[in-house]
Amino acid sequence: MEILWTFTHMLPVVAVDWGSRGIVTADNRGYVYIWSDTGPSLKLKFKADMSKISDVRISPSGRYIAVAGDRVIIYTFSGNEIYKFKNTSFTNKIIWFPDEKRLLAVQNKGVALITLFQDTAVESNTETGCPLLSGDISPDGEFFATGSCDGRVDIWSITIMKPYRILDRFQSEVRDIVWTKNGRLFVISDEGLKIYDTKTWKTLGEIKENTFGSLFLAVSPLETGVIYGGTDKRVYYYDFKRNNLFESEPFFHWVVDGAWSENGLMFAAVSADNTGRVYMVKPH
């Protein structure tokens, strides 16, 4: 993998996503940035109406930006606010449903199913009381997975808004989860990156190299590789077809998030050192 360009923020970055209209990032003072996906050009910067941001996610159609933290707010790509939901608990991750009418907020106290333009949400508290840190929704929108600070991975039903299966228990925080279209669930913690079959829930594989201190993972759109990184200040790219692990030059601070381009040939990684980088991976 090679660096194509670097983009710089005024403050430490906390989240990134990549959609059809560009790259979106957020910093730790509540500012949202929209960048070109063809070079280090800033298209727009605006202050979100919240004091602390944890996550940004572009909607499936690429039309909207969900910004989460002490609130959940939906913006257009011109920076106009179209919906706001005030949390009763801090949101650590926000995930769009495929229908783009609902969002799942993964929160300290549990989960909240938010329907756009409604003032209330369906909420369900975690059974252990330990904050939920990560999660993702199944491609059909019927189930979701969450990971907690005590290492527990739960599978939930949207219908009853309760967990019906404890998939696994790690000895460390579950930092990120990805549920793919091809029926695989990726889960990362200090102990490793595990891959499960979502039909049988059996473990398909595990990556243990350089996962300690990981803060995020992102699977390429064609599921040919995965990126992850964290407190060791590098981003790692595991190529499934080549069965090889590649690592970046170090950042000056933690690598906190990453996202793939829609064609799967590039990815962006952002750091608490105020910078982001766009990398290209070689096609097979």
Side-chain angles (χ1 to χ4, degrees):
M1 60 188 188
E2 70 173 284
I3 298 176
L4 296 180
W5 67 84
T6 300
F7 48 102
T8 304
H9 308 71
M10 295 298 293
L11 296 160
V13 194
V14 296
V16 63
D17 201 11
W18 194 325
S20 58
R21 297 191 182 187
I23 299 168
V24 177
T25 59
D27 69 30
N28 67 357
R29 294 293 179 87
Y31 285 91
V32 177
Y33 306 73
I34 301 174
W35 303 87
S36 168
D37 59 2
T38 58
S41 174
L42 180 63
K43 293 181 175 181
L44 182 67
K45 174 186 173 183
F46 62 90
K47 178 71 170 68
D49 186 20
M50 62 180 73
S51 59
K52 186 176 181 182
I53 295 176
S54 61
D55 201 13
V56 291
R57 286 295 172 258
I58 300 169
S59 67
S61 70
R63 296 171 59 195
Y64 305 115
I65 304 166
V67 183
D70 48 42
R71 299 180 180 184
V72 174
I73 307 178
I74 309 302
Y75 292 95
T76 66
F77 268 76
S78 58
N80 296 321
E81 178 186 310
I82 63 168
Y83 174 72
K84 180 188 297 180
F85 178 80
K86 186 168 178 55
N87 302 335
T88 57
S89 177
F90 188 81
T91 295
N92 295 307
K93 291 286 182 181
I94 192 72
I95 308 113
W96 288 92
F97 277 80
D99 61 14
E100 209 168 272
K101 298 177 181 178
R102 298 172 295 165
L103 299 114
L104 182 72
V106 179
Q107 303 178 326
N108 282 342
K109 74 172 188 179
V111 293
L113 177 59
I114 301 169
T115 301
L116 265 61
F117 310 114
Q118 293 189 10
D119 295 330
T120 59
V122 179
E123 297 180 297
S124 182
N125 292 344
T126 173
E127 294 180 347
T128 64
C130 194
L132 299 181
L133 305 176
S134 55
D136 203 5
I137 299 169
S138 64
D140 61 8
E142 296 296 325
F143 305 95
F144 62 93
T146 60
S148 70
C149 70
D150 61 0
R152 178 166 152 172
V153 180
D154 283 315
I155 308 300
W156 300 59
S157 164
I158 289 291
T159 304
I160 61 174
M161 284 296 286
K162 296 288 183 184
Y164 68 91
R165 173 189 291 270
I166 300 174
L167 177 61
D168 215 334
R169 291 182 184 269
F170 293 86
Q171 299 301 312
S172 56
E173 296 179 342
V174 178
R175 298 303 312 188
D176 211 354
I177 293 175
V178 174
W179 196 320
T180 72
K181 294 180 179 178
N182 289 337
R184 294 192 292 177
L185 191 76
F186 291 72
V187 179
I188 197 164
S189 72
D190 283 351
E191 296 153 63
L193 193 166
K194 293 184 76 170
I195 308 166
Y196 305 86
D197 184 321
T198 59
K199 291 183 179 179
T200 64
W201 297 115
K202 293 181 178 179
T203 303
L204 297 175
E206 186 171 9
I207 301 168
K208 288 186 172 291
E209 292 88 347
N210 306 112
T211 59
F212 187 85
S214 289
L215 300 175
F216 78 94
L217 72 90
V219 182
S220 66
L222 298 178
E223 298 184 35
T224 55
V226 60
I227 56 171
Y228 57 93
T231 59
D232 73 350
K233 307 175 186 177
R234 297 176 186 269
V235 58
Y236 297 93
Y237 165 53
Y238 193 92
D239 186 319
F240 293 127
K241 290 191 174 181
R242 295 188 177 99
N243 197 28
N244 260 335
L245 182 68
F246 302 90
E247 66 180 56
S248 72
E249 292 295 318
F251 288 76
F252 290 100
H253 209 307
W254 297 354
V255 185
V256 295
D257 201 7
W260 286 88
S261 64
E262 291 187 330
N263 63 13
L265 299 179
M266 297 179 288
F267 65 84
V270 294
S271 169
D273 69 6
N274 301 14
T275 68
R277 299 176 187 170
V278 173
Y279 293 86
M280 180 178 69
V281 297
K282 294 181 179 179
H284 296 284

